[in-house]
């Protein structure tokens, strides 16, 4: 049996090198409450075509580069992919609604609340609605020109597929799906053939005669049974592509119900889509692969993202894929993303390189990358960990960097060669923290059971193991300028001070905290230390005068980030409400409040460049925002 051969398409690693997200002009817009909304100088890794829940692409609209997607956040959106914005939105009940786009991109059909709505995508006109006894989880598909719609129905508990007139909603035909619940339906371009995937089986019916032509055990060999999730007719209706939980893609001869060719993917095949000329077949199964069904082409695999659905445009020039919450669109001629930045992986941690505008960032795929903070252009990247990068740090001379990953490893890197200098055992949770001493001699990280290990950077040897009864590291850490003390955030009190020479616990100060992640920041001159959490408040400790002040106002939502400006003149905080606020370290008074992102855009980390000109944030959506000259 011949195998499918894959065509090199949509190589994201190459697409990402092409450049940054388009930089937005940095503007400030005062609000009535005194808060200032501000746009970043540069955005790294932002997903512009993004839902708040997992997405699935439905099809292209007739407009150029317009894509329709549905999400379990309860929305269906029509995206202008060139501008990266949603131009139309429909609200639906999450997880109990479904939709389909006609092959010509003119019509959108939405099944929800015992009704099917028919919307025109090419012009603004009232929707048509047909009331029907739909099942709790409707499934539907439309033909090539929007004349007929196939949908899942129930009759006395039995699974059926109905074909409806797409203009009037009148029922034209109804077929039984034996044995299993219907997962997918498909209707060919002319509306003459209907298919349904139910369990591991696929039924094919003739619309004209109303007879079942075939009942195919599509993804069952008599012993192993796999559900069928991908289902699509070729443009000429002669072939049917299926994809299943057995990770296989199969192309069937419709007339004879025989397999023409098949291939294996790395995960469950959730979606398949034919090119409008029938020369290519796209599949989503842990990777995005585009095949030449006739056996020509070269093998291609890209595991940098895992799409859940895929669809070709009506002209075959573009391919859309849903990757987690986002929608990506590719040029089928070049394989390049139309907007590489929107498909960049989520960034989780960052640090500025000394005396530079460059930023070291770690992402959710375990990759480390260096970006130019002013332009957003990626300078270099390299694989760091298996799984998410939890924290990164850079030595004061910029020669070394450290990263901690969800794979429980802590690695110290030579930044010039990107080769490991030391690898240690860490902890695979966000309470991990990293710090270099000001002279670059010591390096600290969190080890098992919340102990803090201080190591000699030269040979990696442990010089202090800081662990006291009932004292567990729970957040940030920082060395004093002389490298004689290490401040850590704990559970019994907000801050603990450790004498490195003796390894003994010195004073502990602040109030007990119940929050898992306790942000901590030390000013560059070692005078001010800030730590705390939203529930009990943030305190600023003047270590020279042995005085403590609390922030005068509360910042709404959980607080995740604290950082002093390099001159120590202001404390910046970031929280769940999407704001960065600046505080006076002497009085605790708020100086300025800046809204840097959309509502709900959590600020998870803040960092300043050493010249005080740039401020960078890691946000809850996995993007990095860079701002210029913000500090008051």
């Amino acid at each position: 049996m011949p195998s499918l051969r894959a065509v090199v398409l949509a190589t994201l690693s190459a697409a990402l090198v092409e450049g940054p997200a388009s930089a937005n002009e940095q503007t400030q817009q005062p609000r009535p409450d005194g808060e200032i909304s501000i746009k970043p100088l540069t955005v790294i890794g932002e997903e512009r075509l993004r839902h708040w829940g997992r997405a699935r692409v439905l099809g292209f609209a007739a407009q150029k580069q317009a894509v329709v997607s549905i999400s379990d956040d309860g929305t269906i959106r029509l995206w202008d992919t060139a501008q990266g914005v949603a131009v139309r939105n429909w609200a639906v009940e999450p997880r109990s609604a479904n939709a389909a786009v006609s092959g010509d991109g003119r019509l959108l059909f939405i099944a929800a609340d015992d009704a099917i709505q028919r919307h025109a995508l090419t012009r603004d006109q009232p929707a048509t609605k047909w009331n029907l006894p739909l099942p709790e989880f409707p499934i539907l598909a439309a033909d090539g020109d929007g004349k007929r719609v196939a949908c899942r129905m129930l009759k006395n508990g039995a699974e059926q597929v109905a074909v409806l007139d797409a203009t009037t909603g009148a029922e034209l035909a109804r077929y039984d799906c034996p044995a299993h619940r219907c997962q997918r339906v498909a209707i060919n371009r002319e509306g003459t053939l209907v298919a349904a995937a139910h369990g591991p089986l696929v039924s094919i019916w003739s619309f004209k005669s109303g007879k079942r032509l075939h009942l195919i055990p599509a993804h069952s060999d008599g012993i192993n049974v796999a559900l069928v999730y991908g289902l699509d007719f070729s443009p000429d209706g002669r072939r049917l592509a299926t994809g299943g939980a057995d990770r296989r893609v199969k192309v069937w001869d419709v007339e004879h119900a025989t397999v023409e060719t098949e291939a294996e993917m790395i995960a469950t095949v959730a979606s398949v889509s034919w090119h409008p000329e029938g020369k290519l077949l796209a599949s989503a199964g842990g990777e995005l692969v585009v095949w030449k069904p006739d056996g020509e082409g070269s093998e291609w695999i890209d595991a940098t993202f895992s799409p859940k659905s895929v669809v070709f445009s009506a002209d075959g020039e573009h391919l859309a894929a849903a990757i987690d919450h986002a929608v990506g669109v590719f040029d089928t001629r070049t394989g390049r993303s139309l907007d590489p930045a929107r498909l960049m992986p989520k960034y989780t941690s960052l640090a500025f390189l000394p005396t530079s505008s460059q930023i070291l960032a770690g992402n959710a795929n375990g990759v480390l990358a260096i970006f130019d903070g002013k332009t957003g252009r990626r300078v270099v990247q390299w694989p760091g960990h298996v799984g998410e990068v939890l924290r990164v740090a850079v030595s004061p001379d910029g020669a070394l960097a450290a990263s901690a990953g969800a794979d429980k490893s802590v690695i110290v890197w030579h930044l010039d060669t990107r080769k490991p200098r030391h690898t240690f055992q860490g902890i695979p949770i966000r309470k991990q923290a990293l710090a270099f001493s000001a002279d670059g001699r010591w390096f600290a990280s969190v080890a098992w059971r919340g102990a803090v290990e201080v190591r000699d950077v030269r040979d990696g040897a442990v010089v202090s193991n800081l662990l006291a009864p009932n004292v567990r590291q729970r957040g940030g850490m920082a060395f004093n300028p002389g490298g004689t003390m290490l401040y850590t955030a704990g559970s019994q009190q907000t801050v603990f001070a450790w004498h490195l020479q003796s390894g003994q616990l010195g004073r502990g100060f602040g109030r007990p905290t119940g929050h898992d992640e306790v942000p901590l920041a030390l000013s560059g001159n070692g005078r001010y230390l800030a730590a705390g959490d939203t529930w009990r408040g943030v305190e600023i400790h003047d270590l020279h005068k042995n005085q403590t002040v609390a922030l005068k106002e509360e910042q709404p939502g959980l607080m995740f980030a604290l950082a002093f400006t390099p001159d120590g003149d202001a404390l910046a905080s970031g929280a769940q409400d999407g704001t960065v606020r600046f505080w006076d370290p002497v009085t605790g008074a708020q100086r300025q409040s800046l809204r840097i992102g959309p509502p709900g855009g959590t600020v998870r980390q803040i960092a300043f460049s050493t010249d005080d000109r740039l401020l960078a944030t890691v946000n809850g959506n996995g993007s990095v925002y860079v701002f210029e000259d913000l500090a008051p």
Side-chain angles (χ1 to χ4, degrees), residues 366-600:
V367 174
L368 298 166
I370 295 176
F371 294 89
D372 185 314
K374 291 186 175 180
T375 67
R377 183 170 292 277
R378 192 180 65 202
V379 179
V380 67
Q381 73 172 17
W382 68 98
H385 296 270
V386 178
E388 181 179 349
V389 178
L390 302 174
R391 291 286 185 272
V392 295
V394 178
S395 64
D397 61 2
L400 300 174
S403 62
D407 56 3
K408 302 183 182 180
S409 67
V410 175
I411 304 174
V412 177
W413 305 88
H414 292 283
L415 272 183
D416 56 350
T417 63
R418 277 86 61 193
K419 300 296 184 183
R421 177 166 181 163
H422 306 297
T423 300
F424 314 123
Q425 184 77 6
I427 56 174
I429 54 178
R430 288 189 177 275
K431 286 181 281 188
Q432 177 61 273
L434 306 173
F436 284 96
S437 61
D439 59 6
R441 182 179 179 184
W442 311 118
F443 169 72
S445 64
V446 182
W448 187 243
R449 294 186 178 179
V452 176
E453 291 182 341
V454 180
R455 297 175 181 269
D456 190 313
V457 171
R458 294 168 295 184
D459 58 12
V462 176
V463 295
S464 294
N465 191 310
L466 309 178
L467 178 64
N470 300 319
V471 175
R472 295 291 183 269
Q473 168 67 16
R474 301 189 71 157
M477 65 172 67
F479 286 92
N480 71 338
T484 58
M485 301 284 294
L486 179 68
Y487 298 98
T488 66
S491 55
Q492 299 303 309
Q493 288 180 296
T494 307
V495 179
F496 294 96
W498 301 87
H499 297 281
L500 295 183
Q501 186 173 3
S502 64
Q504 297 299 308
L505 177 64
R507 63 176 291 199
F509 45 96
R511 292 166 289 189
T513 176
H515 194 221
D516 269 352
E517 294 183 60
V518 182
L520 178 149
L522 182 69
S523 62
N525 58 11
R527 178 173 180 175
Y528 298 110
L529 179 69
D533 66 15
T534 300
W535 307 120
R536 294 168 177 82
V538 173
E539 295 180 333
I540 303 175
H541 308 278
D542 187 328
L543 301 179
H544 291 181
K545 294 185 177 181
N546 197 26
Q547 296 177 349
T548 298
V549 297
L551 300 188
K552 300 299 185 184
E553 302 176 41
E554 292 185 359
Q555 186 161 0
L558 295 175
M559 186 176 293
F560 289 101
L562 292 172
F564 282 96
T565 56
D567 60 8
D569 184 59
L571 172 69
S573 64
Q576 195 175 23
D577 65 345
T579 63
V580 171
R581 304 186 184 214
F582 289 91
W583 310 86
D584 187 316
V586 178
T587 66
Q590 180 178 297
R591 292 180 180 174
Q592 193 174 45
S593 176
L594 304 175
R595 177 162 297 282
I596 68 166

Side-chain angles (χ1 to χ4, degrees), residues 76-96:
I76 297 173
R77 297 183 180 181
L78 173 63
W79 301 97
D80 180 336
T81 62
Q83 299 297 321
V85 296
V87 294
R88 293 179 70 179
N89 293 275
W90 296 268
V92 296
E93 184 67 26
R95 296 183 177 87
S96 63

Side-chain angles (χ1 to χ4, degrees), residues 606-621:
I606 298 174
F608 288 93
S609 61
T610 53
D611 63 2
D612 209 10
R613 296 292 305 277
L614 299 180
L615 177 150
T617 63
V618 176
N619 308 307
N621 67 351

